Amino acid sequence: MNVIVFASRKGGSGKSTLAAHLAAHVHKATKPCLLIDADPQGSLTLWHKLRGTNEPAIKTAVTSVGGIIAAAKRDGIEWVFIDTPPNMSAVVEDSIKNATMVIIPARPGVFDVNAVQETIQTCRAARKPYAVVLNGAPARRDDVESPIVTIARESLTKFRAPVWGGQITNRADLLMALSHGEGAREYYAEGRAAAEIGRLWAAIERSVKAIRGNAPASGAMHKQAA
Ligand SMILES: Nc1ncnc2c1ncn2[C@@H]1O[C@H](COP(=O)(O)OP(=O)(O)O)[C@@H](O)[C@H]1O
Ligand SMILES: [Mg+2]
């Protein structure tokens, strides 16, 4: 079983959005996924209500996640996705402690990029693999990324943060899907939003395989905190 934690002390960076879209992308009855909503704001819980099915299942965590994760392991859950609040409270620390890998979403702005440092420090202190995912980015034009995204990558490189090479573009489809309780692929399988979520998932899977020692670390997007 693998635990993917979405963390960043910046609100609005895309933790809940990525958790919902990736969970909808990954969940299969044969390889079930469990969501843990550790944010009292309850965005993921709202999406799950709109979805109206219990697939994937969802649990709420207030101060710790260990008990839920142990039960999920017994139940044969393959993937656990934890959405966390935009702070460094006990439940965030505990989620990171239990993570296989931490995804740190960041919008490509100077304040946003700067704000990831605290979450990175927490990952490093807990010796957990992590990667930053640029989210809400301006669309690529003629296959060239926006200068804003390039600048964000450069700043992240300066504090040696590992960054996914792709981007999640700011897209109405991602919002529309959420308002229907769906993931990008369920909403519009051929759309660009679905393609980007699929690419992000492939990168996460590759990293997790490398973390588990089942694939070479070269080409993986994460950094193994030492
Ligand atoms: N890539 C995106 N494209 C369009 N809207 C987005 C994107 N990422 C996030 N949003 C929207 O921005 C808002 C904040 O995102 P959210 O996932 O709630 O952030 P967080 O959970 O980190 O606070 C939400 O309304 C969300 O749907
Ligand atoms: Mg949220």
Side-chain angles (χ1 to χ4, degrees):
M1 191 183 72
N2 299 297
V3 179
I4 309 296
V5 173
F6 298 83
S8 153
R9 72 164 167 81
K10 189 98 179 150
S13 57
K15 295 178 284 298
S16 307
T17 300
L18 295 185
H21 281 292
L22 288 168
H25 182 87
V26 170
H27 177 79
K28 286 193 194 91
T30 49
K31 283 188 173 181
C33 168
L34 173 71
L35 292 168
I36 302 181
D37 191 352
D39 184 356
Q41 235 173 56
S43 304
L44 208 54
T45 305
L46 173 61
W47 173 78
H48 193 263
K49 267 194 198 124
L50 293 166
R51 192 167 175 82
T53 72
N54 198 33
E55 301 231 342
I58 193 165
K59 300 250 191 271
T60 307
V62 182
T63 53
S64 66
V65 294
I68 299 174
I69 289 175
K73 213 171 206 170
R74 287 196 296 273
D75 291 348
I77 298 289
E78 185 102 0
W79 293 97
V80 178
F81 292 79
I82 310 183
D83 187 22
T84 66
N87 55 40
M88 279 296 150
S89 57
V91 78
V92 181
E93 294 259 353
D94 193 53
S95 298
I96 291 177
K97 228 183 274 171
N98 281 282
T100 307
M101 179 179 186
V102 181
I103 298 295
I104 308 174
R107 289 183 183 259
V110 60
F111 301 150
D112 308 77
V113 164
N114 196 56
V116 305
Q117 294 187 71
E118 204 177 335
T119 312
I120 288 177
Q121 286 312 328
T122 311
C123 296
R124 285 183 182 157
R127 295 171 183 261
K128 290 296 174 178
Y130 61 95
V132 177
V133 169
L134 290 170
N135 175 46
R140 295 168 69 96
R141 285 186 192 275
D142 302 327
D143 218 28
V144 175
E145 74 182 12
S146 156
I148 300 172
V149 175
T150 307
I151 291 167
R153 286 190 196 287
E154 285 166 2
S155 312
L156 288 161
T157 309
K158 270 185 206 141
F159 39 87
R160 296 185 298 125
V163 192
W164 177 45
Q167 66 170 48
I168 301 294
T169 305
N170 189 24
R171 295 191 190 281
D173 271 12
L174 289 173
L175 281 174
M176 290 297 288
L178 293 182
S179 68
H180 289 87
E182 290 175 338
R185 191 168 57 189
E186 294 162 324
Y187 180 72
Y188 179 33
E190 285 77 37
R192 291 176 182 179
E196 285 180 353
I197 293 294
R199 281 199 285 276
L200 174 57
W201 180 248
I204 293 174
E205 260 197 318
R206 219 166 24 243
S207 268
V208 167
K209 274 192 187 139
I211 291 163
R212 296 280 178 211
N214 297 327
S218 58
M221 66 166 165
H222 69 282
K223 190 160 188 168
Q224 181 79 46

